[in-house]
Amino acid sequence: MLQASSLAHPSRPRALAAWLFSVAGLIVLMVVVGGITRLTESGLSITEWKPISGIIPPLTDAAWQTEFANYKRIPEYTQINHGMTLAGFKAIFFWEYSHRLLGRLIGLAFALPLLWFAVRRRIPPGYAWRLVALLALGGLQGAIGWWMVASGLSVRTDVSHVRLAVHLLTALVLLSGMVWTALDLRALAESRLAVPASLRPLAVAALALLFSQIMFGAFTAGLDAGYAFSSWPLMGDSVFPAGVRMIEPAWRNAVDNPVVVQFIHRWFAFVAATALVLLALRSIRSGAIIVGRVLIGLVVLQIILGIATLLSGVEIGIAIAHQANAALTLIATTFAAHAIGRARV
């Protein structure tokens, strides 16, 4: 059995919470490395999925030549990077390998302690199914990552931006779920009578809008839409540029048209920001003053970083800071949502 009485082991909820917060930190790092991998166009440098043996990188010149030969067979090389040197290939291989290695590390950092807590019967009642669900979601995330990469190995010269969005959003759902569970466990450590927090309507709305904004951010990255216009608040000389060629059916423009996607990502940000600020104010009224203030600060910083990313022509350091801050904003949003979920209505 995975469950045991929290009364028999009163200190375990705190240990579980600390463990989950640590793994959440690794997921934030994973998001950052994933962003670098995308911005450096490194994601297709490893053309095979080897969950076990892939942990060992090429160690000899012959092994490097084999990996490079595999890369030379895909459209990204033949149509874009033809003539790339082995040194250039090693540079992009580094980021994709680091991204995959970190994914494996996160899997072990979650699975092995979970097994230890289970064998020692240190998991409080009601939490086993949540932890197993998070483990399963993490495994699914690895499969989604390969599903994303596979989209760019035969016909396309890059990965599907839709699959990229699914990959990122799944990682962030995992991050938010892990933080929420850690907060519930921390509350249980403080009081044996604590019950899991409820997800209030305002929190649901704020999280849904934030995830939608992040989805459009992934579309923007996957379509290279950030390069379409590097001015703000106007796109060129107008709010929306004239003469943009639209796609049929019309709804596809919100997914596949780089100009429309950038436009939505620019302005939907303020809709999401409004909901997040309202959530922050509610959390402050519920007593979570620091959490609310931090969330407001991160929202303001995120908007500033988004504008700076555009004005800089998607300078990689600013763009990565923008993506990293999105993950931090989600964590703060989860804290605020949890705070109002514990407050008396």
Side-chain angles (χ1 to χ4, degrees):
M1 291 178 61
L2 286 175
Q3 297 182 347
S5 172
S6 60
L7 297 177
H9 303 281
S11 65
R12 290 312 123 200
R14 191 177 301 279
L16 284 159
W19 159 57
L20 290 176
F21 280 131
S22 298
V23 179
L26 289 175
I27 294 176
V28 173
L29 179 59
M30 182 77 161
V31 169
V32 171
V33 174
I36 296 173
T37 302
R38 170 59 197 164
L39 288 168
T40 56
E41 304 289 347
S42 303
L44 296 177
S45 57
I46 301 178
T47 60
E48 297 176 311
W49 189 31
K50 298 177 179 178
I52 305 300
S53 61
I55 197 170
I56 302 175
L59 299 176
T60 65
D61 184 65
W64 275 113
Q65 291 294 345
T66 298
E67 289 288 347
F68 195 19
N70 290 336
Y71 178 66
K72 288 180 178 180
R73 297 189 184 101
I74 69 172
E76 181 179 80
Y77 175 83
T78 58
Q79 299 179 35
I80 298 177
N81 289 335
H82 186 73
M84 172 182 277
T85 64
L86 179 60
F89 172 71
K90 287 181 178 181
I92 63 173
F93 185 96
F94 169 80
W95 287 113
E96 175 63 8
Y97 173 76
S98 298
H99 188 54
R100 296 193 187 194
L101 181 63
L102 187 54
R104 293 179 174 95
L105 175 62
I106 291 172
L108 290 175
F110 192 89
L112 294 182
L114 175 60
L115 179 62
W116 187 88
F117 283 120
V119 170
R120 301 283 293 180
R121 299 179 180 273
R122 301 295 171 84
I123 299 175
Y127 286 88
W129 70 267
R130 275 209 245 178
L131 296 174
V132 171
L134 290 171
L135 178 64
L137 185 60
L140 177 63
Q141 172 68 349
I144 291 173
W146 174 248
W147 175 63
M148 177 189 69
V149 170
S151 67
L153 297 180
S154 56
V155 178
R156 302 172 58 102
T157 58
D158 56 5
V159 301
S160 163
H161 61 287
V162 173
R163 297 188 187 189
L164 174 66
V166 173
H167 186 51
L168 177 60
L169 290 175
T170 304
L172 294 180
V173 168
L174 180 61
L175 173 63
S176 186
M178 201 166 289
V179 170
W180 186 282
T181 302
L183 290 171
D184 275 345
L185 285 164
R186 190 175 69 176
L188 185 63
E190 294 170 356
S191 171
R192 299 180 190 180
L193 300 178
V195 296
S198 302
L199 195 56
R200 307 290 186 196
L202 176 58
V204 172
L207 284 165
L209 291 172
L210 177 57
F211 273 105
S212 296
Q213 175 64 3
I214 291 172
M215 177 186 71
F216 281 110
F219 288 168
T220 300
L223 291 168
D224 291 328
Y227 298 100
F229 290 91
S230 58
S231 56
W232 195 91
L234 302 180
M235 298 178 75
D237 298 324
S238 58
V239 175
F240 186 84
V244 177
R245 185 176 179 180
M246 293 295 172
I247 303 171
E248 294 295 337
W251 65 266
R252 282 190 55 204
N253 289 284
V255 178
D256 297 325
N257 188 321
V259 175
V260 175
V261 166
Q262 191 195 112
F263 176 81
I264 294 173
H265 190 53
R266 282 172 173 240
W267 300 112
F268 190 77
F270 293 95
V271 177
T274 299
L276 294 176
V277 170
L278 290 174
L279 175 63
L281 294 175
R282 177 73 67 82
S283 71
I284 290 172
R285 289 198 298 271
S286 72
I289 298 173
I290 295 177
V291 168
R293 289 176 177 175
V294 168
L295 177 55
I296 291 173
L298 288 172
V299 169
V300 172
L301 178 59
Q302 185 67 355
I303 291 174
I304 293 171
L305 287 171
I307 295 170
T309 299
L310 283 174
L311 295 179
S312 69
V314 194
E315 196 278 325
I316 188 168
I318 300 174
I320 291 303
H322 185 48
Q323 183 160 326
N325 196 68
L328 296 179
T329 301
L330 175 61
I331 291 174
T333 302
T334 304
F335 266 78
H338 192 272
I340 71 169
R342 291 192 65 201
R344 294 179 180 272
V345 179

